[in-house]
Amino acid sequence: MRRNLIRLQKKMGKLYIPSILLLTSIILFSIMYSAVKPKALDIELFQVAEETIRANATVEDTEKTKANKETVATTVSPVYTYNADLKDIQTSEIEILFATLDETIQEANKIYEADLKEARKKASEDNSSVSSQQLSEVKVAELADDELLRLFKEKLNNLDDSTTAFIEQFPDWAILDLLAADEASLTSMKESIVSVVSEFMSQPIKSEELNEVKLEANNNLDYSDLDSDMQRVAGLIVDNAIVENNSYNEIATEQEIEEAMANVQPSLILQGQVIIQEGHVVDSNNMHQLELLGLLDNNSSRQALYGLIVLIFTQALLLFYLGKTRKENRIEHGRQITFYSIIMVISLLLMKGLQLIQNADVEYIGFLYPAALVTILLTSFGGRRFGILANGFTAAFSIFIFSPDSGTSFSIILVLFYLLSGMMGTMITRTKITNQFWSSFIWVTVFNALFISSFILYLNIHLWSQQVFLMVIYALSSGIISYFMAVLLSPYVEVIFSENAVLTLTELSNPNNPLLKELLTKAPGTYHHSLMVANLSANAVGAIGGDSLFARVACYYHDVGKLRHSLFFIENLPPGMENPHNLLTPFESKEIIFGHVSEGVKMLEKAKLPQSIIDICAQHHGTTLMKFFYVVAKEKDDTVAESDFRYPGPNPQTKEAAVINIADSAEAAVRAMSHPTKETIENFVHNLINGRITDGQFNECSISLQELKIVEKSICEGLNGTFHSRIEYPTLKKNDQLSVKE
């Protein structure tokens, strides 16, 4: 099935995923259409109602609610925001103003001193007999006002925009007055201004209070020791430094209004509420309520239909976008989408069936739906993100399936139960479900019971009633069914997603498999060797937490290439037959030995075995050196390169391949020993693994040194158990004397 699915995906290319999503969306829409099919009432004003009409949803009378909110909004007081930081900002700008003035004065003095020095130097050069007294009397003109202003404005170029804007408010005469003041006066003025500004800016100032505050601040300057001219300039600075710091906050005021309006209770028409009683006359209020519920307007009554379409489209878009954002392999993503679609369709069919049963007066049967089954399977095989998506959309779809006939309270409880129960399915890890029995079972059963207990208490149902009993039984059954159905279905689902599925590997391990039967018939020694390597590898792989079943089955097929030249491998030689390699050159022997890897890969590909098993066949020798024939060739020709006698590889890419690489060589070598002992086996395996590490054979797989130690111990134990030294049993000859027979 997996191969057929992959073949279909490759054939359809980029159209496969959109096609699956479109088909799934159509099927889901068909399942839920009956629940959202538009219905219009044939009813007129002032006519007698022929049936009792209840509200099909909880809706709000927006006009009445809006009027109530507008009334409340007029009572909200405006909100002002006090900016305490403005005090520091304004005083800082005053400090910068006076610092700039000081810098300008100092620079002007330097220019004056330079001009004076130049003038005296020139006078001395013009008249060498001039006295020092005369030189000291040489004078130069101080900088003109426009020069002083130019120097001052140049300093402004180094300031930030806000400070520059603050200083540029002052007229030139004020700047010149400040530049003409002595240092003591400037210091006194700065302290007075900063003190006054700090005092008044420490208090909230609204825009309408600003002029009054400025006037009061200027009056405070009268108590300073500044002369009248300096007070005039100081007042100008204070006027510009004191600004509004308690401004009207339109956003905060709007928020206050919104909060006040939000607290207004909406005028609701509750789902299930009787709008018109059978036999009663329909009045204008009834018609208004029916209109709000969309029961009079065909277009309005289609909103649920449009909502379902949007929800189904959103699901398809999310699934499509999920593969784009994670840049996954298109084939893998397509397989996940296919599985998601199948699971979702089956689950909604089951949900729809439960809804039909519930409508036949079987109360609370909706809680029997195994919500966790969907998420368990999707989390295990598709990933937790698919499980989470399915959980959310399953709960959302349940609204459209159950809500029209169940009422708001039951629908909300059911949706929450599906959501929480399904969420428990996403808590499992992506290992075999059977390997996490207790944790999975607790997630989907115990917590289901707790969830339903909470909802029962919320609904205020009598605890010892039949209703409670049914709800608890159904909720617990939902979890139990979810778990055991997941366990039952997992092996079959695994076939879709994994080449190493248990069912696939079990089928391949059958001795009646054509390749294994041929191996047993034509190369019995190799068949026996493969079984031995399989036992060693499976135990070692299991010890380091790998897939032992896969390792075992892969070993069965790792040497099938030897079928092409079975007698050229020592384990298949009949007793007494000469080794055919004695008749060949080392290079010819090498090609035959190497060929069992390449030929094995071709045979496995032709037999359509999983790629993972083919990879083991290709990697089980890595790029190791064929030492025997290399040494023979080297003795005959010293120019022989070592690379000519190395297997083509690749090196082991997985832990399983690395273990099989070791077990294959260890089993063959120990079997060839005449009298293997525990010590010789352990030394050989230890040296073998160290040699492979040094040779870089395990550089491309994730096996660690600690795991290699475990593998070494496991393989040694297996070899010691198989190739233990045999004791010699005594036998009695005809002359009654003991002789020893092995």
Coordinates of all heavy atoms in Angstrom, one line a residue, residues 199-269:
E199 N 9.8 74.0 40.5 CA 8.7 74.1 41.4 C 7.3 74.0 40.8 O 6.5 73.3 41.2 CB 8.8 75.5 42.2 CG 7.7 75.7 43.2 CD 7.7 77.1 43.8 OE1 8.8 77.8 43.6 OE2 6.8 77.5 44.5
F200 N 7.2 74.8 39.6 CA 5.9 74.8 39.0 C 5.6 73.6 38.1 O 4.5 73.2 38.0 CB 5.7 76.1 38.2 CG 5.4 77.3 39.1 CD1 6.5 78.1 39.6 CD2 4.1 77.6 39.5 CE1 6.2 79.2 40.4 CE2 3.9 78.7 40.3 CZ 4.9 79.5 40.8
M201 N 6.7 73.1 37.5 CA 6.5 71.9 36.6 C 6.3 70.6 37.5 O 6.0 69.6 36.9 CB 7.7 71.7 35.7 CG 7.7 72.7 34.6 SD 6.4 72.6 33.4 CE 6.8 71.0 32.6
S202 N 6.5 70.7 38.8 CA 6.3 69.5 39.6 C 4.8 69.3 39.9 O 4.4 68.3 40.5 CB 7.0 69.7 41.0 OG 8.4 69.7 40.8
Q203 N 4.0 70.3 39.5 CA 2.6 70.2 39.7 C 1.9 70.0 38.3 O 2.4 70.4 37.3 CB 2.0 71.5 40.3 CG 2.7 71.8 41.6 CD 2.4 73.2 42.1 OE1 1.6 73.9 41.4 NE2 3.0 73.7 43.2
P204 N 0.8 69.2 38.3 CA 0.0 69.1 37.0 C -0.4 70.4 36.5 O -1.0 71.2 37.2 CB -1.1 68.2 37.4 CG -0.7 67.5 38.7 CD 0.1 68.5 39.4
I205 N -0.2 70.6 35.2 CA -0.7 71.9 34.5 C -1.5 71.5 33.3 O -1.0 70.9 32.3 CB 0.6 72.7 34.1 CG1 1.5 73.0 35.3 CG2 0.1 74.0 33.4 CD1 2.8 73.7 34.9
K206 N -2.7 71.9 33.3 CA -3.6 71.7 32.1 C -3.4 72.9 31.1 O -2.9 73.9 31.5 CB -5.0 71.5 32.5 CG -5.3 70.3 33.4 CD -6.8 70.2 33.7 CE -7.0 69.0 34.6 NZ -8.5 69.0 35.1
S207 N -3.8 72.7 29.9 CA -3.6 73.7 28.9 C -4.4 75.0 29.3 O -3.9 76.1 29.1 CB -4.1 73.2 27.5 OG -5.5 72.8 27.6
E208 N -5.6 74.9 29.9 CA -6.3 76.1 30.3 C -5.7 76.8 31.5 O -6.1 77.9 31.8 CB -7.8 75.7 30.5 CG -8.0 74.7 31.6 CD -8.0 73.3 31.1 OE1 -7.5 73.0 30.0 OE2 -8.6 72.4 31.8
E209 N -4.8 76.1 32.2 CA -4.2 76.7 33.4 C -2.8 77.3 33.1 O -2.2 77.9 33.9 CB -4.0 75.6 34.5 CG -5.4 75.0 34.9 CD -5.1 73.8 35.8 OE1 -4.0 73.3 35.8 OE2 -6.1 73.3 36.4
L210 N -2.3 77.1 31.8 CA -0.9 77.4 31.5 C -0.6 78.9 31.7 O 0.4 79.2 32.3 CB -0.6 76.9 30.1 CG 0.8 77.0 29.7 CD1 1.7 76.1 30.6 CD2 1.0 76.5 28.2
N211 N -1.4 79.8 31.2 CA -1.1 81.2 31.3 C -1.1 81.7 32.7 O -0.2 82.5 33.1 CB -2.1 82.0 30.5 CG -2.0 81.8 29.0 OD1 -0.9 81.5 28.5 ND2 -3.1 81.9 28.2
E212 N -2.0 81.2 33.5 CA -2.1 81.6 34.9 C -0.8 81.1 35.7 O -0.2 81.8 36.5 CB -3.3 81.0 35.6 CG -3.5 81.3 37.0 CD -4.7 80.7 37.6 OE1 -5.6 80.2 36.9 OE2 -4.9 80.8 38.9
V213 N -0.4 79.9 35.4 CA 0.8 79.3 36.0 C 2.1 80.1 35.6 O 3.0 80.4 36.4 CB 1.0 77.8 35.7 CG1 2.3 77.3 36.2 CG2 -0.1 77.0 36.3
K214 N 2.2 80.5 34.3 CA 3.3 81.3 33.9 C 3.4 82.6 34.5 O 4.5 83.1 34.9 CB 3.2 81.5 32.3 CG 3.6 80.2 31.5 CD 3.5 80.5 30.0 CE 3.9 79.3 29.2 NZ 3.8 79.5 27.8
L215 N 2.2 83.3 34.7 CA 2.2 84.6 35.4 C 2.7 84.4 36.8 O 3.5 85.3 37.3 CB 0.8 85.1 35.3 CG 0.5 86.5 36.0 CD1 1.4 87.5 35.3 CD2 -0.9 86.9 35.9
E216 N 2.2 83.4 37.5 CA 2.6 83.2 38.9 C 4.1 82.9 39.0 O 4.8 83.4 39.9 CB 1.8 82.1 39.5 CG 2.0 81.9 41.0 CD 1.2 80.7 41.6 OE1 0.3 80.2 40.8 OE2 1.4 80.4 42.7
A217 N 4.6 82.2 38.0 CA 6.0 81.8 38.0 C 6.9 83.1 37.8 O 7.9 83.3 38.5 CB 6.3 80.8 36.9
N218 N 6.4 84.0 36.9 CA 7.2 85.2 36.7 C 7.1 86.1 37.9 O 8.1 86.8 38.2 CB 6.6 86.0 35.5 CG 7.2 85.5 34.2 OD1 8.3 85.9 33.9 ND2 6.5 84.7 33.4
N219 N 6.0 86.1 38.7 CA 5.9 86.8 39.9 C 7.0 86.3 40.9 O 7.5 87.1 41.7 CB 4.5 86.8 40.5 CG 3.5 87.5 39.6 OD1 3.9 88.4 38.9 ND2 2.3 87.2 39.7
N220 N 7.2 85.1 40.9 CA 8.2 84.5 41.8 C 9.6 85.0 41.5 O 10.5 85.0 42.4 CB 8.2 83.0 41.8 CG 7.1 82.4 42.6 OD1 6.1 83.1 43.0 ND2 7.2 81.1 43.0
L221 N 9.9 85.4 40.3 CA 11.2 85.9 39.9 C 11.5 87.2 40.6 O 12.6 87.7 40.7 CB 11.3 86.0 38.4 CG 11.5 84.7 37.6 CD1 11.5 85.0 36.1 CD2 12.7 84.0 38.0
D222 N 10.4 87.9 40.9 CA 10.6 89.2 41.6 C 11.3 89.1 42.9 O 12.0 90.1 43.3 CB 9.2 89.9 41.8 CG 8.5 90.2 40.5 OD1 9.2 90.3 39.5 OD2 7.3 90.4 40.5
Y223 N 11.3 88.0 43.5 CA 12.0 87.8 44.8 C 13.5 87.4 44.6 O 14.2 87.2 45.6 CB 11.3 86.7 45.6 CG 9.8 87.1 45.9 CD1 8.8 86.5 45.2 CD2 9.5 88.0 46.9 CE1 7.5 86.9 45.5 CE2 8.2 88.3 47.2 CZ 7.2 87.8 46.5 OH 5.9 88.1 46.8
S224 N 13.9 87.3 43.3 CA 15.3 86.9 43.1 C 16.1 88.2 43.1 O 15.6 89.3 43.1 CB 15.4 86.3 41.7 OG 15.1 87.2 40.7
D225 N 17.5 88.1 43.2 CA 18.4 89.3 43.2 C 18.8 89.7 41.8 O 19.8 90.4 41.7 CB 19.6 88.9 44.1 CG 20.3 87.7 43.5 OD1 19.8 87.1 42.6 OD2 21.4 87.3 44.1
L226 N 18.0 89.3 40.8 CA 18.4 89.7 39.4 C 17.9 91.2 39.2 O 16.9 91.6 39.7 CB 17.6 88.8 38.4 CG 18.0 87.3 38.5 CD1 17.1 86.6 37.5 CD2 19.4 87.1 38.2
D227 N 18.7 91.9 38.4 CA 18.3 93.3 38.0 C 17.2 93.2 37.0 O 16.8 92.1 36.6 CB 19.5 94.1 37.5 CG 20.1 93.4 36.2 OD1 19.4 92.8 35.4 OD2 21.4 93.5 36.0
S228 N 16.7 94.4 36.7 CA 15.4 94.4 35.9 C 15.7 93.8 34.5 O 14.8 93.1 34.0 CB 15.0 95.9 35.8 OG 16.0 96.7 35.2
D229 N 16.9 94.1 33.9 CA 17.1 93.5 32.5 C 17.2 92.0 32.6 O 16.6 91.3 31.7 CB 18.4 94.1 32.0 CG 18.3 95.6 31.6 OD1 17.1 96.1 31.4 OD2 19.3 96.3 31.6
M230 N 17.9 91.5 33.6 CA 18.0 90.1 33.7 C 16.7 89.4 34.0 O 16.4 88.3 33.6 CB 19.1 89.7 34.8 CG 20.5 90.0 34.4 SD 21.1 89.1 33.0 CE 20.9 90.2 31.6
Q231 N 15.9 90.1 34.8 CA 14.5 89.5 35.2 C 13.7 89.4 33.9 O 12.9 88.5 33.7 CB 13.8 90.4 36.2 CG 14.3 90.1 37.6 CD 13.4 90.8 38.7 OE1 12.4 91.3 38.3 NE2 13.8 90.7 39.9
R232 N 13.9 90.4 33.0 CA 13.1 90.4 31.8 C 13.4 89.2 30.9 O 12.6 88.5 30.4 CB 13.4 91.7 31.0 CG 12.7 91.8 29.7 CD 13.2 93.0 28.9 NE 12.6 93.1 27.6 CZ 13.0 93.8 26.6 NH1 14.2 94.5 26.8 NH2 12.4 93.9 25.4
V233 N 14.8 88.9 30.8 CA 15.2 87.8 30.0 C 14.8 86.5 30.8 O 14.3 85.5 30.1 CB 16.7 87.8 29.8 CG1 17.2 86.5 29.1 CG2 17.1 89.0 29.0
A234 N 15.0 86.5 32.1 CA 14.6 85.3 32.9 C 13.1 84.9 32.7 O 12.7 83.8 32.6 CB 15.0 85.5 34.3
G235 N 12.3 86.0 32.7 CA 10.9 85.8 32.6 C 10.5 85.2 31.2 O 9.7 84.3 31.1
L236 N 11.3 85.6 30.2 CA 11.1 85.1 28.9 C 11.4 83.6 28.8 O 10.7 82.7 28.2 CB 12.0 85.8 27.8 CG 11.8 85.4 26.4 CD1 10.4 85.6 25.9 CD2 12.8 86.2 25.5
I237 N 12.5 83.2 29.5 CA 12.9 81.8 29.5 C 11.9 80.9 30.3 O 11.5 79.8 29.9 CB 14.3 81.6 30.2 CG1 15.4 82.3 29.3 CG2 14.7 80.2 30.4 CD1 16.8 82.4 30.0
V238 N 11.4 81.5 31.4 CA 10.4 80.8 32.2 C 9.2 80.6 31.4 O 8.5 79.5 31.5 CB 10.1 81.5 33.5 CG1 8.9 81.0 34.2 CG2 11.3 81.5 34.5
D239 N 8.7 81.6 30.7 CA 7.5 81.5 29.9 C 7.6 80.3 28.9 O 6.7 79.6 28.6 CB 7.3 82.8 29.1 CG 6.6 83.8 30.0 OD1 6.1 83.4 31.1 OD2 6.5 85.0 29.6
N240 N 8.8 80.2 28.3 CA 9.0 79.1 27.3 C 9.3 77.7 27.9 O 9.0 76.7 27.3 CB 10.1 79.5 26.3 CG 9.8 80.5 25.4 OD1 9.1 80.3 24.4 ND2 10.2 81.8 25.6
A241 N 9.8 77.7 29.1 CA 10.1 76.5 29.8 C 8.9 75.8 30.4 O 8.9 74.6 30.5 CB 11.2 76.7 30.8
I242 N 8.0 76.6 30.9 CA 6.8 76.0 31.6 C 5.8 75.7 30.5 O 5.4 76.5 29.7 CB 6.2 77.0 32.6 CG1 7.2 77.2 33.8 CG2 4.9 76.5 33.1 CD1 6.7 78.2 34.8
V243 N 5.5 74.4 30.4 CA 4.6 73.9 29.4 C 3.5 73.0 30.0 O 3.6 72.6 31.2 CB 5.3 73.1 28.3 CG1 6.3 73.9 27.5 CG2 6.1 71.9 28.9
E244 N 2.5 72.7 29.2 CA 1.5 71.8 29.7 C 2.0 70.4 30.0 O 2.7 69.8 29.1 CB 0.4 71.7 28.6 CG -0.8 70.7 29.0 CD -1.7 70.5 27.8 OE1 -1.5 71.1 26.7 OE2 -2.6 69.7 28.0
N245 N 1.8 69.9 31.2 CA 2.2 68.5 31.5 C 1.1 67.6 32.0 O 1.4 66.5 32.4 CB 3.3 68.6 32.5 CG 2.9 69.2 33.9 OD1 1.7 69.5 34.0 ND2 3.8 69.4 34.8
N246 N -0.1 68.1 31.9 CA -1.3 67.3 32.3 C -2.3 67.4 31.2 O -3.2 68.2 31.2 CB -1.8 67.8 33.6 CG -2.8 66.8 34.2 OD1 -2.8 65.6 34.0 ND2 -3.8 67.3 35.0
S247 N -2.0 66.6 30.1 CA -2.8 66.7 28.9 C -4.0 65.8 28.8 O -3.9 64.7 29.5 CB -1.9 66.5 27.7 OG -1.3 65.3 27.8
Y248 N -4.9 66.1 28.0 CA -6.1 65.3 27.8 C -5.7 64.0 27.1 O -5.0 64.1 26.0 CB -7.1 66.0 27.0 CG -8.3 65.2 26.6 CD1 -9.2 64.7 27.5 CD2 -8.5 64.9 25.3 CE1 -10.3 63.9 27.1 CE2 -9.6 64.1 24.9 CZ -10.5 63.6 25.8 OH -11.5 62.9 25.4
N249 N -6.0 62.9 27.7 CA -5.6 61.6 27.1 C -6.8 61.0 26.4 O -7.7 60.4 27.0 CB -5.1 60.6 28.2 CG -4.4 59.4 27.6 OD1 -4.8 58.9 26.5 ND2 -3.5 58.9 28.3
E250 N -6.8 61.2 25.1 CA -8.0 60.8 24.3 C -8.1 59.3 24.3 O -9.2 58.7 24.4 CB -7.8 61.3 22.8 CG -9.0 60.9 22.0 CD -8.9 61.5 20.6 OE1 -7.9 62.2 20.3 OE2 -9.8 61.2 19.7
I251 N -6.9 58.6 24.2 CA -6.9 57.1 24.1 C -7.4 56.5 25.4 O -8.3 55.6 25.5 CB -5.5 56.6 23.8 CG1 -5.1 57.0 22.4 CG2 -5.5 55.0 23.9 CD1 -3.7 56.6 22.0
A252 N -6.9 57.1 26.6 CA -7.3 56.6 27.9 C -8.8 56.9 28.1 O -9.5 56.0 28.7 CB -6.5 57.2 29.0
T253 N -9.2 58.0 27.7 CA -10.7 58.4 27.8 C -11.5 57.4 27.0 O -12.6 56.9 27.5 CB -10.9 59.8 27.4 OG1 -10.1 60.7 28.1 CG2 -12.4 60.2 27.6
E254 N -11.1 57.1 25.8 CA -11.8 56.2 25.0 C -11.9 54.8 25.6 O -12.9 54.1 25.6 CB -11.2 56.1 23.6 CG -11.4 57.3 22.7 CD -12.9 57.5 22.4 OE1 -13.6 56.5 22.3 OE2 -13.3 58.7 22.3
Q255 N -10.7 54.4 26.2 CA -10.7 53.1 26.9 C -11.6 53.1 28.1 O -12.3 52.1 28.3 CB -9.2 52.8 27.4 CG -8.3 52.5 26.3 CD -6.9 52.3 26.8 OE1 -6.5 52.6 27.9 NE2 -6.0 51.7 26.0
E256 N -11.7 54.2 28.8 CA -12.6 54.3 30.0 C -14.1 54.1 29.5 O -14.9 53.4 30.1 CB -12.5 55.6 30.7 CG -11.2 55.7 31.5 CD -11.3 54.9 32.8 OE1 -12.4 54.7 33.2 OE2 -10.2 54.6 33.3
I257 N -14.3 54.8 28.3 CA -15.7 54.7 27.8 C -16.0 53.3 27.3 O -17.0 52.7 27.6 CB -15.8 55.7 26.6 CG1 -15.7 57.2 27.1 CG2 -17.1 55.5 25.8 CD1 -15.7 58.2 26.0
E258 N -15.0 52.7 26.7 CA -15.1 51.3 26.2 C -15.3 50.3 27.3 O -16.2 49.4 27.2 CB -13.9 50.9 25.3 CG -13.9 51.6 24.0 CD -12.6 51.2 23.2 OE1 -11.8 50.3 23.7 OE2 -12.4 51.8 22.1
E259 N -14.6 50.5 28.4 CA -14.7 49.7 29.6 C -16.1 49.8 30.2 O -16.8 48.8 30.6 CB -13.6 50.0 30.6 CG -12.3 49.5 30.2 CD -11.2 49.8 31.2 OE1 -11.6 50.3 32.3 OE2 -10.0 49.7 30.9
A260 N -16.5 51.1 30.3 CA -17.9 51.3 30.8 C -19.0 50.7 30.0 O -19.9 50.1 30.5 CB -18.1 52.8 31.0
M261 N -18.8 50.8 28.6 CA -19.7 50.2 27.7 C -19.7 48.7 27.7 O -20.7 48.0 27.6 CB -19.5 50.8 26.3 CG -19.7 52.3 26.1 SD -19.2 52.9 24.5 CE -20.3 52.1 23.4
A262 N -18.4 48.2 27.9 CA -18.3 46.7 28.0 C -19.0 46.1 29.2 O -19.4 45.0 29.2 CB -16.8 46.4 28.0
N263 N -19.1 46.9 30.2 CA -19.7 46.4 31.5 C -21.2 46.4 31.4 O -21.9 45.9 32.3 CB -19.3 47.3 32.7 CG -17.8 47.1 33.0 OD1 -17.3 46.0 32.8 ND2 -17.2 48.1 33.6
V264 N -21.7 47.0 30.3 CA -23.2 47.0 30.1 C -23.6 45.6 29.7 O -23.0 45.0 28.8 CB -23.6 48.0 29.0 CG1 -25.1 47.9 28.8 CG2 -23.2 49.4 29.5
Q265 N -24.5 45.0 30.4 CA -25.0 43.6 30.1 C -25.7 43.6 28.8 O -26.7 44.5 28.6 CB -25.9 43.1 31.2 CG -25.2 42.9 32.5 CD -24.1 41.8 32.4 OE1 -24.3 40.8 31.7 NE2 -23.0 42.0 33.1
P266 N -25.4 42.8 27.8 CA -26.1 42.7 26.6 C -27.5 42.2 26.7 O -27.8 41.4 27.6 CB -25.2 41.8 25.7 CG -24.5 40.9 26.7 CD -24.3 41.8 27.9
S267 N -28.4 42.7 25.9 CA -29.7 42.1 25.8 C -29.7 40.9 24.9 O -29.5 41.0 23.7 CB -30.7 43.2 25.3 OG -30.7 44.3 26.1
L268 N -29.9 39.7 25.6 CA -29.7 38.5 24.9 C -31.0 37.7 24.7 O -31.9 37.8 25.5 CB -28.8 37.5 25.6 CG -27.3 38.0 25.8 CD1 -26.6 37.0 26.7 CD2 -26.6 38.2 24.5
I269 N -31.1 37.0 23.5 CA -32.1 36.0 23.3 C -31.4 34.7 23.4 O -30.5 34.4 22.7 CB -32.8 36.2 21.9 CG1 -33.4 37.6 21.7 CG2 -33.8 35.1 21.7 CD1 -33.8 37.9 20.3

